[in-house]
Structures are given as structure tokens and as C-alpha cells.
Amino acid sequence: MCGIVGITSNKQVISPIINSLRKLEYRGYDSAGIATLNQGFINEVKCEGRVNALEKNLLKSKLEGTVGIGHVRWATHGAPSTINAHPHSSEKVSVVHNGIIENSTILKKFLIKKGHKFKSQTDTEVIVHLITEYLKKNDLKKTIIKVLKKLHGSFALGIIFKDYPDMIVGARRGSPLAVGYGPNENYLGSDSYALKTMTNKISYLNDGEFCILKNNSVEFFNDIGNKINKKILELSENNENYDKGDFKHFMAKEIEEQPVTIKNCVKEYVDKINNDINIFNFPWKVNEISSIVLIGCGTAFHSCLMAKYWFENFTTLDVSVDIASEFRYRKNKFKKDALYVFVSQSGETADTYASLDLCNKNKMKTCSIVNVVESSIARDSKFVLPIHCGPEIGVASTKAFLGQMLVLYILSLKISFMRKDIDKETYVNKIKSLFTLSDLIKKTLETDSKTQLVCNSFVDIKGSMFLGRGYSYPIALEGALKLKELSYVHAEGYPAGEMKHGPLALIEEGMPVVVIAPRDEYYTKTISNMQEVIARGAKVLLITNKSKDEIYSENIWEYIEVENTTDDLLPFLITIPLQKLAYYSALKKGYDIDKPRNLAKSVTVE
Ligand code: AGP
């Protein structure tokens, strides 16, 4: 989603702003722009499309300046176009914005009456005119306080002013914003990743706060303008490789990295010598918890759904799962003995954050499972379990999904053992199996050639279905999500047993249907459901695990066999061919795999 960069310096800022915008490209965007203040004038250069196109326009325009703001836009109000791209400027002010101003129509009416002329269809432009209007009668600080109060909705803002030459104002409500500190320059960014090439010293704005950056000072204020102090955090100097290397796409790289990321994560949490799980400093006694609520969006929601099966199988806890965008607006019955678990790769997803905030406000026990440990969700949770899988750049979540599932699996085992819901022998055996998982994933990645072959049948189709029962049901949902988001094919994930209740009507002659049926306790039931779709003309791709037992079924179009392991770890292996199926289908179609249309990596608006 939209990304913001701001730099105030004693040197030229165009090239570092471009470098930081490139770091924000992973979020998914459709247009880009930069505005600077130079010799008393605000100038902007914008374009539809990518940062490369913006760079070309900048060369032509010769934009210069030691204070500037940059933006990559993911359209909410108004189509992707140069005119709607940020920054939006008046003669006096220029603004970049991430978020949604919900009362923009009312504010626009008020401003038009005052004589303001609008150029774009965006909600952001009202902020520009509102600031311009208030500056007529107020000083800068008062203007900011008054304008922020007028805005409904969510925002992270970067603002430069004609009459305050070396200054950038940043403000946050809902959408994340970081401040970075450098030598004779200071920075604003949507996340610390965008600023990492310039600094490892970071502070984060909390909701309602704003900041004033100059090249030699940074000040923070609360919503009524009182000065506040901020901790300066030092980001870890990691040497993680953000390049694609020899891979064509980040997604391909991230799929292949999974044996390593899983190995690293197991190492972080599992004590091989004592066959125990290390979850240190868990802030609650296990007998204070009698239910668990798992919350996330998209792929993270699927890992929550998966975890429900593990928690229910291993523990006697009540388990419920919720989509964050629903949870945050429902009339929830908050229970003191519930543990609320928030799952998010980015740690910035607006709906997941809002759900966490709601639980915190109701004084609940909150725990997050995140990839980005400096994220808002990690910072505001009472307890954090990182998934240790390194940066995930491809919009389609792959290694983070496996990482989320792994940490949830580990948490379910630990809690069940602490509660004495499972005995020591079962606990130790399950831990031992975890050490085999990385190699099994590596071997399963070898199903690659088969997946490349079958993907041809998923390219030019009207639609497809992914069916599974039990542990395979969340994986079916995830397989369908991957196919639809990457190759823009309509795909539905369904519990295999539910087909007769409606979806069977969709099956047509030759329709490709993926049936996920590992040889677990649901196997025979799923195979029966598979026969029902084959009988109605479906072309079935069966995904199962290797076994000495033959597959007792005829007329299967194709099958892929993953390695063999315990029932509860099979979902990790089954996911691999589904990731590859989506990848290769999109590759055949020549689509933008790392940045699928209309999507963003970090969904910071609701
Ligand atoms: C999955 O491939 C998607 N990119 C999407 O569903 C994603 O999982 C969702 O937006 C949640 O993101 P988060 O994990 O960063 O919270």
C-alpha cells in the first residue's frame, strides 16, 4: 500500500528519496511522485507507473532540493493516474499520504466554498487545502493540530511548507510512520525498511502524534501539541540478502528458501538437546488461559484456521478463529481467560492492528506472531513470537505462511504440554519430527517439474476449485488464494464435504479441480468426494503424500506426491506444490508475479 519517504538534509535529496522509494516498491503501487522545496518554491514530479518511470521524468525536469517528500501510491480515491499521484501541492504546502480520509467529501465542499480549486479525485488533496486555509490565520503547530482534528479516518502524512524551508512535518493516525536519524539530516518513512540504507536509528510515531523534522533536530508532539520524548531504537544490522539473486522473481526465491527459513525457525524455538520448546518470558500462567482466539487477514487468516485444528487436537482449550476486518467491528465478548493471538507477516495490516488495539483497550492478553519485529503489531502486543523467515518481498505470501504455521504449531505443542493435555512421550516425538521438516520440504520442492507440467491446464480456464478436509481444508483455501491473486483465475477453496450443498453445480466438463487428500484420517472420505467431482466431468489434480499403498481411484487426471510425515506436519508439505502451481500459472501468462495487479504487500488501509 502507499509508501512515504521524507528527507531534510544539507545535501541534495532526490537520489536518496528514489532509493528509499525503491525499498517501498514491494508494498504494491500504481504511481509515484516527489516534491521538493527549492529556492522558495514547491515543485513536484509525478507519474503513473513505476519508480523507474519517475526517475526518467526527474532527469527531464531537473528537480532539486535539500528538503523533499516522495510517495508510491496504491489507489483508493481516484484512478491510478499522474494527476492523482502524490504529492499533492498548493503554492504553500505539499502532502504525501497513506490511509483514507473518510470525511473528505464534506471537507471538500467546505473548502470549495472558501474558493479552493481541486485538481485530483483524491481524498488527500483536501489535506493540502485544509492546511493552506488554516495557515492563513494560525502558526504552523496550531495549523497541524487543528487540521488533524478535522480529519476522520486513517493517515500517515509527510508535509513540506513553502514558508518553513528546512522542515518536514509527519503525522500518524492508524497508518504506520517511522522517523530516522542521520548526520545533518533526518528522515520520515512508512517503515524502517525504507530508511535502512540511510540509518539504523529509528523512532516510531504512535497514533495521534506528530513530529517536526529539520536537518539538525527532531521534535515529537502529542495530539494537543505537548512535546513528548521518544525512544531511539537501534535496528539490528542484519546482512539479509534482499536481492533476487539468480531467481526471476522474489516469489520463486522465497519458495525455495523455505527449507532454510523453517530450519532457522525450528532452531530458534526448539531445544534439540532437551527435546523441549523454548518460549521464554511468556507473561501469563498457562492455567490463566482457557480459550484462544486467532486473528488475521488473507494468508495469515489461513494459518490461524490451520492452527485451530492443532490447538483443538492437542489441547482442551476452546479455539476460535476470526478475520480481523470482521472481528474489529463485532460485538465481542471479551473474556479475561482468553489469549488473543494476532498473526501478520508485515505486522502493519490495518484491520489486524485495529483488532489488537481493541483487545489492548479491553485489557486482554495479546500475543502476536509476526515477521517484521519492528512493526506496529509487534510493538503493541504484550508478547511477540517472531517467525524468523527474513524479509518477504513478493506480494504473495509463501515462506511467511509456512513460518506462521510453524510458530503456531510450536505454540500449540508448548501450551498443550504445559497444560498437561499431552504426555511427555507425545510431546517429545512431535518435537523430534520438527527436526525432519526442513529436509522434507527440500525434497518436496523436487515436485517442481510435475507442477510445471500441470500448470498449463490452469492458465486459460474459467475457474477452478481446491478441495480438502480437516488439516487440508485451510491449505485448500490458501491454494485457491494463491492461484487467484497471481494468475487472476477464479479459484474457490472448499471443504470437500460441502460440495453437495451447492458448489457441485459449478463443476463442468474439463474443469480443473485440485483435491488435497493426504493419507490421513480424512483420506477415504475425501477420495469419495473426489469421485463425485470426477463423475461430473472435473479434471482432478490429486495432491497426496508418498505411501506404499496404491491410490484406489480411477480417472484421476494427474497427481503430485509430497514426502511422507506425520498427519499434523503434512500441511507444510502439501502447501509447496500449491505455491508452485500458482507461480507457474502466472509465469505462463506473463503476469507481474511479485506485484500482482490491484494488490499491496502491506495493507495499511482498511
Ligand atoms: C497473501 O498472499 C496476501 N499477500 C495477503 O492475503 C496477506 O496475507 C494479508 O494481506 C495479510 O498480510 P499480513 O500477514 O502482512 O498481515
Side-chain angles (χ1 to χ4, degrees):
M1 225 134 264
C2 302
I4 290 175
V5 180
I7 305 179
T8 167
S9 176
N10 57 4
K11 298 186 295 243
Q12 289 294 314
V13 293
I14 301 294
S15 128
I17 289 180
I18 285 285
N19 288 343
S20 298
L21 288 180
R22 288 200 193 288
K23 294 275 165 214
L24 292 170
E25 286 192 294
Y26 76 94
R27 297 161 79 98
Y29 69 104
D30 44 58
S31 49
I34 292 186
T36 59
L37 192 62
N38 197 21
Q39 296 175 349
F41 291 99
I42 290 173
N43 296 304
E44 43 170 59
V45 173
K46 320 198 273 191
C47 70
E48 193 184 335
R50 304 288 188 208
V51 174
N52 278 347
L54 177 68
E55 212 174 2
K56 279 187 195 147
N57 289 357
L58 282 164
L59 283 176
K60 280 185 239 154
S61 72
K62 300 201 172 64
L63 192 74
E64 287 188 336
T66 53
V67 180
I69 46 178
H71 191 265
V72 282
R73 173 177 188 249
W74 186 86
T76 58
H77 288 55
S81 66
T82 303
I83 204 98
N84 288 333
H86 299 209
H88 292 283
S89 312
S90 68
E91 191 205 332
K92 295 273 183 188
V93 199
S94 185
V95 174
V96 286
H97 168 216
N98 174 23
I100 293 177
I101 305 304
E102 288 166 358
N103 57 339
S104 61
T105 318
I106 300 167
L107 293 173
K108 198 168 174 177
K109 267 189 196 157
F110 158 80
L111 288 159
I112 287 171
K113 267 190 200 154
K114 293 250 171 209
H116 291 263
K117 300 230 168 354
F118 284 77
K119 291 178 258 182
S120 74
Q121 291 89 50
T122 64
D123 52 342
T124 305
E125 207 183 341
V126 299
I127 308 172
V128 176
H129 293 286
L130 213 53
I131 296 173
T132 310
E133 183 63 30
Y134 277 79
L135 274 174
K136 288 178 188 165
K137 291 192 187 144
N138 299 280
D139 66 14
L140 180 117
K141 234 174 94 183
K142 269 208 184 109
T143 297
I144 296 300
I145 295 165
K146 286 188 174 174
V147 167
L148 297 184
K149 248 191 210 142
K150 284 269 172 205
L151 303 176
H152 296 175
S154 65
F155 52 78
L157 299 173
I159 314 163
I160 55 173
F161 305 84
K162 180 182 188 324
D163 299 328
Y164 300 87
D166 60 343
M167 185 187 286
I168 300 177
V169 168
R172 175 195 169 160
R173 188 194 299 153
S175 307
L177 199 59
V179 167
Y181 306 83
N184 297 318
E185 54 186 31
N186 291 304
Y187 323 102
L188 199 65
S190 284
D191 57 33
S192 55
Y193 179 56
L195 308 180
K196 245 179 176 167
T197 50
M198 301 182 284
T199 184
N200 69 340
K201 293 191 174 53
I202 300 281
S203 296
Y204 293 98
L205 272 84
N206 289 328
D207 265 359
E209 295 173 353
F210 69 95
C211 60
I212 298 181
L213 313 186
K214 295 181 181 170
N215 65 18
N216 52 11
S217 70
V218 178
E219 291 178 300
F220 293 94
F221 304 91
N222 65 11
D223 57 342
I224 52 168
N226 291 338
K227 222 168 154 178
I228 48 173
N229 292 322
K230 280 269 158 195
K231 266 192 205 153
I232 300 179
L233 310 169
E234 280 216 14
L235 301 177
S236 57
E237 292 282 350
N238 53 26
N239 301 319
E240 273 151 342
N241 183 6
Y242 298 120
D243 294 333
K244 280 193 283 241
D246 292 337
F247 291 92
K248 236 179 162 172
H249 300 99
F250 278 106
M251 184 187 178
K253 181 177 182 238
E254 286 156 7
I255 292 174
E256 296 299 325
E257 275 173 357
Q258 292 176 115
V260 176
T261 55
I262 288 295
K263 195 177 203 159
N264 291 344
C265 190
V266 170
K267 233 194 233 164
E268 288 290 334
Y269 287 103
V270 187
D271 174 348
K272 200 172 186 174
I273 298 170
N274 299 308
N275 282 315
D276 199 1
I277 288 168
N278 292 331
I279 292 183
F280 298 120
N281 305 323
F282 192 65
W284 310 283
K285 290 196 183 90
V286 76
N287 58 10
E288 289 172 6
I289 299 167
S290 64
S291 65
I292 232 161
V293 185
L294 302 148
I295 298 164
C297 300
T299 290
F301 168 72
H302 295 157
S303 64
C304 293
L305 205 55
M306 188 70 238
K308 179 176 164 73
Y309 288 84
W310 290 322
F311 272 104
E312 281 180 350
N313 281 354
F314 307 155
T315 75
T316 47
L317 294 169
D318 279 341
V319 192
S320 58
V321 182
D322 234 306
I323 290 177
S325 54
E326 291 298 313
F327 178 87
R328 66 181 290 190
Y329 292 117
R330 269 217 322 275
K331 204 173 161 201
N332 294 295
K333 305 219 165 24
F334 289 106
K335 292 180 282 170
K336 273 211 166 95
D337 55 358
L339 173 65
Y340 290 83
V341 179
F342 301 87
V343 182
S344 173
Q345 187 285 130
S346 62
E348 300 293 356
T349 300
D351 287 316
T352 313
Y353 181 81
S355 304
L356 165 70
D357 193 44
L358 185 68
C359 290
N360 279 341
K361 283 185 177 134
N362 281 280
K363 299 192 171 29
M364 293 294 106
K365 301 176 179 69
T366 56
C367 164
S368 63
I369 293 178
V370 294
N371 194 25
V372 183
V373 286
E374 299 105 7
S375 61
S376 307
I377 290 176
R379 289 201 310 276
D380 289 353
S381 305
K382 305 230 166 76
F383 189 62
V384 184
L385 293 166
I387 62 172
H388 298 290
C389 74
E392 188 181 67
I393 308 294
V395 163
S397 196
T398 51
K399 61 176 181 173
F401 179 57
L402 254 57
Q404 289 160 359
M405 288 204 296
L406 180 60
V407 173
L408 285 160
Y409 182 79
I410 284 171
L411 182 67
S412 68
L413 277 188
K414 182 71 179 179
I415 291 184
S416 74
F417 184 61
M418 281 160 71
R419 287 170 57 85
K420 300 192 173 57
D421 288 335
I422 54 170
D423 58 37
K424 176 100 189 189
E425 197 189 337
T426 313
Y427 180 61
V428 168
N429 285 339
K430 286 192 186 296
I431 286 173
K432 282 184 178 161
S433 301
L434 277 176
F435 287 107
T436 64
L437 190 56
S438 161
D439 278 347
L440 293 170
I441 292 171
K442 201 172 176 181
K443 282 198 191 117
T444 301
L445 283 166
E446 288 164 17
T447 53
D448 192 87
S449 51
K450 190 72 174 272
T451 323
Q452 284 199 48
L453 206 73
V454 296
C455 82
N456 289 318
S457 293
F458 287 81
V459 174
D460 294 314
I461 50 168
K462 240 168 61 188
S464 173
M465 303 204 79
F466 289 65
L467 310 179
R469 279 173 180 261
Y471 288 140
S472 300
Y473 165 49
I475 304 301
L477 293 181
E478 177 61 9
L481 176 63
K482 287 286 98 92
L483 189 69
K484 66 184 124 185
E485 74 174 324
L486 288 164
S487 65
Y488 319 153
V489 158
H490 183 210
E492 286 290 340
Y494 249 97
E498 187 64 12
M499 288 300 284
K500 289 187 202 71
H501 304 286
L504 209 48
L506 291 172
I507 304 292
E508 287 177 4
E509 194 62 41
M511 180 190 198
V513 172
V514 180
V515 175
I516 303 168
R519 318 321 167 95
D520 58 13
E521 58 179 305
Y522 305 95
Y523 178 64
T524 49
K525 301 273 175 216
T526 314
I527 293 295
S528 303
N529 298 137
M530 180 179 77
Q531 287 308 332
E532 289 156 9
V533 294
I534 290 176
R536 281 152 186 90
K539 191 172 162 186
V540 164
L541 168 65
L542 172 67
I543 303 192
T544 186
N545 53 325
K546 285 181 181 162
S547 161
K548 50 185 181 337
D549 302 326
E550 259 180 71
I551 301 163
Y552 290 111
S553 179
E554 286 172 2
N555 304 321
I556 298 170
W557 164 56
E558 272 294 356
Y559 65 91
I560 293 176
E561 286 179 322
V562 303
E563 294 302 304
N564 200 10
T565 182
T566 56
D567 286 3
D568 37 295
L569 291 185
L570 276 169
F572 291 89
L573 307 185
I574 297 279
T575 301
I576 305 290
L578 300 180
Q579 294 172 339
K580 295 242 176 187
L581 181 68
Y583 176 78
Y584 285 122
S585 305
L587 193 66
K588 287 252 162 212
K589 291 172 120 170
Y591 289 164
D592 192 348
I593 292 185
D594 287 332
K595 298 184 203 87
R597 70 178 181 202
N598 305 336
L599 298 180
K601 182 68 182 161
S602 189
V603 185
T604 50
V605 293
E606 63 173 304

